[in-house]
Amino acid sequence: MEDEQLIELFLSRSDEAIPSLSDKYRRFCYSIIMKIVPDQRDIEECLNDLFLRIWNSIPPDHPNCLSAYLAKITRNIALDRYSYNTAKMRNCDLTTAFAELEPFLCTKESSMEQYIDEYSFKEFINRFLRKQPKEVRVFFIRRYWYGDSIKQIAKENNVSEEKVKTSLFRTRNKLKFAMQKEGILL
């Protein structure tokens, strides 16, 4: 079934909407969740939350790209579950990855108003990443979007862990410079 047909099922409140969406996108959403939340019970709960959230959001939303729409919502649900599960335990790859980026998320107050719009900041990051070589983008996204460990990124890309660490360090420095240049970061 095509994405537009799936969206129409939701818009018409058809009973077939969720089963059809599940048939087409369950594995895709499952793979996003399992990168963040490894427990099988939590994955199933996240999937159920996802289907409910999609049912409640379409309509009024009418996504242009259903897979991107699902990926964003799936990731947010998994991150919420992760935060809940690790409220007292602060030692894992995803927490470490976010801690690495934390200095770059502190902004000047005057510029914060300019970039408070999530879309604008997302566009800035996308422009920055498009200027980077493919391998650098892959490392960055695997680390900071999916929360993969350095070891896992190195293994999946057939490179050394040191290469991944160095690439991420240099990319963070380039990001810092780009943010300073745009006036986003002190």
Side-chain angles (χ1 to χ4, degrees):
M1 183 174 290
E2 295 298 318
D3 288 355
E4 196 55 43
Q5 292 172 310
L6 283 171
I7 293 169
E8 287 302 320
L9 289 175
F10 279 96
L11 292 173
S12 66
R13 298 316 227 183
S14 169
D15 291 339
E16 293 300 314
I18 291 175
S20 297
L21 182 73
S22 180
D23 288 346
K24 184 168 183 181
Y25 283 108
R26 185 178 189 85
R27 291 183 66 196
F28 171 70
C29 295
Y30 183 95
S31 69
I32 293 170
I33 297 167
M34 70 178 250
K35 298 277 186 182
I36 299 169
V37 181
D39 184 70
Q40 185 62 40
R41 292 170 297 186
D42 286 337
I43 292 170
E44 290 300 323
E45 189 171 332
C46 287
L47 286 169
N48 290 334
D49 290 347
L50 168 69
F51 296 134
L52 176 63
R53 192 167 302 173
I54 296 299
W55 180 259
N56 290 331
S57 66
I58 302 176
D61 292 349
H62 190 288
N64 291 329
C65 179
L66 186 58
S67 61
Y69 186 78
L70 287 171
K72 180 180 179 182
I73 293 173
T74 302
R75 183 174 182 273
N76 288 339
I77 289 170
L79 287 171
D80 289 346
R81 173 57 54 182
Y82 170 81
S83 295
Y84 176 80
N85 287 349
T86 60
K88 293 184 181 181
M89 302 178 294
R90 303 276 184 220
N91 193 13
C92 81
D93 292 325
L94 194 56
T95 303
T96 304
F98 289 156
E100 291 169 2
L101 280 182
E102 189 173 8
F104 305 101
L105 301 177
C106 299
T107 61
K108 292 193 288 187
E109 268 184 50
S110 61
S111 294
M112 184 61 169
E113 294 170 7
Q114 178 183 350
Y115 285 93
I116 196 79
D117 177 24
E118 181 183 323
Y119 180 79
S120 295
F121 189 72
K122 194 181 336 177
E123 285 300 308
F124 168 78
I125 295 293
N126 286 335
R127 280 192 315 273
F128 169 78
L129 288 174
R130 272 188 231 110
K131 294 176 186 174
Q132 307 307 312
K134 182 180 179 183
E135 183 178 65
V136 169
R137 288 193 312 264
V138 168
F139 293 169
F140 191 88
I141 291 171
R142 298 300 311 186
R143 181 70 172 153
Y144 301 119
W145 176 262
Y146 292 107
D148 288 350
S149 68
I150 302 286
K151 185 176 185 174
Q152 186 177 8
I153 296 168
K155 183 179 178 186
E156 289 178 7
N157 290 280
N158 296 319
V159 297
S160 70
E161 289 181 37
E162 196 57 41
K163 180 172 183 169
V164 175
K165 286 180 192 176
T166 301
S167 174
L168 291 170
F169 176 77
R170 289 179 179 162
T171 306
R172 287 192 309 269
N173 285 339
K174 288 178 188 176
L175 177 61
K176 180 179 180 181
F177 178 75
M179 290 176 77
Q180 288 171 336
K181 188 175 175 183
E182 291 281 322
I184 301 170
L185 188 66
L186 292 172

